[in-house]
Amino acid sequence: AMATEAPPPRGEGEAPEDGEPEPEPVFTLTLSVKSVTPLVQPPTVPEEPEEGAEPPVEVTPPQPAVCHVAFPGESDPIESSSPVEPEADGSYFFNLERTFERVPGVDLLNQLVNEPLVVTIKVGDMELARCEVDLFPFTKGALRVGSALIETEENDDANASETRKDPSGEATEDEEDRNHHSKRHEFLPLVPIPFPVASPEGEENPEEPLPINPLLPAASIDVSITASFAFVAVDDAARGRVLTVIPHEIQNTPPSLSAFEDVNAYPFTWGFGVPLPGGIPNAVVEGGRLARRPVGDTGTSGNEGDEETRMETYITWRVDSSEFEDPDQTPNQVSKKFWLPANSVDQLREQLKGRGKTLGVEVARFPQTDPTTTPDPVFQNYHATSDVSLNELTDPGSVACAPQRAFLKAPLYGHKSCLPKPPEPPDGAKAFGDEPAVPPGSVAWAAATEPARVTFTLLMSESLLPPWAPPPPTETTVAELLPTREVVVKHEDPPEVVAAREFRAEVTRAGTSL
């Protein structure tokens, strides 16, 4: 969807023509970027120098700023129409507003939880600060996300002198209420964008210090996103969850992968899938790549003094930071989030809960170029499943699960895959490297020297079962329910009675012994 104005609503009583499909509901999201607080320390104007003194350094006036916004679902960033001049205190007022149309549904919510709203402030030619707004609250029925308007109670004594009075000399009801309550905006903090920190090549000790970002620690921005209606039903807002799927790696690859020389030139990518119940799209995470790393101790190649490092081939979903301009700002792990409505959460809980219950995850290989349309004659070679127990997610209060024994095997006959399947190849098509297809019911992973296994982590935004909590105290206690009775008072006998009783006992023992 592109930024556009909302279409006029259908007239009251107007119905679609015969044969015309019912139009999908369209909600609107309104983006508002109002202003930012002072970004940098204002320059101080030097005093006029005395006669014979050096002339003062020229003061650089504050430069105009531009606001860039990356909105989920928009291919091009949104930019303020023209540079904004700073105010006297160094703040900027952008008053940037845009309206977007979106069709509510699972796809929209998946997009909102995976793509934050990113606002970048550029002052002059320098990108100075940025702010990321997490749109997760929309999955909980929120209508507004971002900076908030908060009511605060002010000091009555401080407001007493400012109370307006009517002609009779008494404060009006509206003014008294205004004195007790006021509203203030709570802006979102801005984060400085790191400047380049590498020193020039060949200079170990540069004379000039490296530049640092002059952004003030208290710099903040007034940005908000408002929805026309709630994107989720009341039940889904209360019991829905967000599942984060983080595949790590596949260990113990078969010889067909270990023998590939240049892993960076391998023309395939890898996908990891988790089936989701309730009729929603399955969780699929792409981006796996073939990689190689040294492992274990070094061995000898046969010549004295010549050591050879053993290398391990594996598949990883870690991002290769060398491909990005700013590796420090690149996430090192591929992950993806998926929104689950309430009925899917209930079905998932029933699937996982119980002794011996498992969930089948999958891995597969796809061509890097147009994976959904490019055929792979040996797709079934690397398409494998693993039945794993995820009982940890059914523990009260548990939100994470990381199985370590997810061994790969061939899918059963008639298995319904949760991963997309490439189109059928034409007759006579050859696979990459003339790799032969494995027999039906088998996979290439079976040729590995050790059982191949995939490691991954699943995270839930909230636990499937609430954490244990002590029961609430009862209105009445057990002691209060028992009937009361009189306390028995034990009276001690006088000394002469005790002495007579002991004498009789002694006589009885003596007679018994005789």
Side-chain angles (χ1 to χ4, degrees):
M2 298 183 64
T4 178
E5 296 182 359
R10 185 185 296 272
E12 186 175 350
E14 182 181 351
E17 299 179 359
D18 294 340
E20 180 184 351
E22 190 70 24
E24 294 183 342
V26 176
F27 292 174
T28 59
L29 284 168
T30 302
L31 165 69
S32 175
V33 182
K34 292 295 184 181
S35 60
V36 296
T37 61
L39 300 176
V40 297
Q41 191 72 26
T44 56
V45 180
E47 299 178 356
E48 295 186 2
E50 300 178 358
E51 295 184 2
E54 296 182 358
V57 180
E58 293 186 7
V59 177
T60 303
Q63 297 179 342
V66 177
C67 175
H68 296 268
V69 181
F71 197 83
E74 298 297 319
S75 56
D76 298 326
I78 305 160
E79 184 175 336
S80 52
S81 57
S82 59
V84 177
E85 296 292 336
E87 300 295 318
D89 61 350
S91 59
Y92 294 88
F93 290 89
F94 293 104
N95 288 328
L96 173 65
E97 286 195 1
R98 292 290 188 277
T99 300
F100 305 91
E101 290 185 353
R102 294 292 186 270
V103 177
V106 177
D107 292 339
L108 172 62
L109 293 170
N110 285 342
Q111 185 181 69
L112 294 180
V113 297
N114 281 284
E115 301 179 29
L117 174 77
V118 182
V119 183
T120 305
I121 304 300
K122 184 177 181 181
V123 179
D125 298 331
M126 175 178 58
E127 289 189 350
L128 192 67
R130 69 197 308 250
C131 175
E132 289 190 3
V133 183
D134 187 5
L135 304 181
F136 169 80
F138 282 126
T139 67
K140 292 300 182 182
L143 294 176
R144 190 177 189 273
V145 177
S147 54
L149 191 63
I150 302 176
E151 282 195 3
T152 59
E153 293 188 1
E154 297 184 354
N155 191 314
D156 293 342
D157 296 337
N159 293 327
S161 60
E162 300 180 3
T163 303
R164 295 184 181 180
K165 300 181 180 180
D166 61 7
S168 63
E170 297 181 357
T172 61
E173 183 178 351
D174 294 340
E175 293 298 337
E176 287 182 353
D177 182 70
R178 188 180 305 170
N179 292 333
H180 289 81
H181 301 277
S182 64
K183 295 181 179 181
R184 65 178 179 86
H185 274 91
E186 186 175 286
F187 290 4
L188 300 183
L190 285 168
V191 178
I193 297 178
F195 285 2
V197 296
S199 58
E201 296 182 1
E203 295 185 15
E204 297 181 357
N205 298 318
E207 297 181 359
E208 298 182 0
L210 295 176
I212 60 174
N213 195 314
L215 184 71
L216 293 175
S220 57
I221 184 172
D222 182 8
V223 55
S224 62
I225 309 96
T226 306
S228 56
F229 299 96
F231 288 146
V232 295
V234 176
D235 189 36
D236 292 334
R239 300 193 298 115
R241 301 287 190 272
V242 172
L243 171 66
T244 303
V245 180
I246 311 173
H248 297 296
E249 60 184 40
I250 302 177
Q251 301 172 355
N252 306 324
T253 56
S256 56
L257 298 178
S258 303
F260 198 81
E261 295 183 1
D262 187 5
V263 294
N264 295 324
Y266 193 67
F268 293 92
T269 184
W270 300 84
F272 177 82
V274 179
L276 299 179
I280 61 176
N282 295 311
V284 179
V285 183
E286 301 172 349
R289 60 184 177 88
L290 197 65
R292 190 166 287 137
R293 62 189 172 191
V295 61
D297 300 329
T298 57
T300 58
S301 60
N303 300 326
E304 295 184 2
D306 188 11
E307 293 185 350
E308 183 180 359
T309 303
R310 293 195 302 123
M311 303 297 290
E312 175 192 22
T313 303
Y314 67 108
I315 296 164
T316 179
W317 274 264
R318 293 183 67 87
V319 179
D320 186 4
S321 59
S322 62
E323 300 178 0
F324 296 86
E325 296 181 359
D326 190 0
D328 294 335
Q329 298 299 315
T330 303
N332 61 358
Q333 184 68 51
V334 177
S335 64
K336 197 171 182 181
K337 298 179 180 180
F338 303 88
W339 178 75
L340 309 180
N343 66 323
S344 296
V345 173
D346 295 339
Q347 295 182 36
L348 180 63
R349 184 189 303 111
E350 293 302 319
Q351 287 184 5
L352 304 181
K353 189 177 180 181
R355 185 181 182 87
K357 288 191 175 182
T358 59
L359 188 69
V361 300
E362 299 181 33
V363 297
R365 187 185 75 168
F366 300 93
Q368 285 187 354
T369 306
D370 299 330
T372 58
T373 59
T374 304
D376 183 8
V378 293
F379 172 78
Q380 296 299 333
N381 282 17
Y382 301 99
H383 179 209
T385 63
S386 179
D387 297 328
V388 293
S389 174
L390 304 177
N391 282 336
E392 294 180 29
L393 289 179
T394 59
D395 293 339
S398 176
V399 295
C401 182
Q404 299 297 320
R405 297 180 60 82
F407 297 105
L408 300 179
K409 64 179 183 178
L412 298 177
Y413 179 77
H415 170 74
K416 186 178 180 181
S417 177
C418 66
L419 290 174
K421 185 178 180 181
E424 292 294 333
D427 295 339
K430 293 184 179 181
F432 175 76
D434 293 335
E435 181 179 352
V438 297
S442 180
V443 285
W445 304 103
T449 55
E450 297 182 19
R453 64 190 181 111
V454 58
T455 58
F456 61 95
T457 300
L458 300 181
L459 302 175
M460 301 293 296
S461 58
E462 299 177 45
S463 59
L464 294 177
L465 294 176
W468 182 88
T474 58
E475 296 181 359
T476 57
T477 62
V478 176
E480 294 174 347
L481 296 176
L482 295 176
T484 58
R485 59 182 179 178
E486 296 181 358
V487 179
V488 178
V489 181
K490 186 177 181 180
H491 300 282
E492 295 184 358
D493 295 332
E496 56 272 15
V497 176
V498 174
R501 185 169 58 247
E502 291 179 352
F503 176 75
R504 286 194 296 270
E506 184 65 27
V507 172
T508 301
R509 285 195 296 272
T512 302
S513 60
L514 294 175

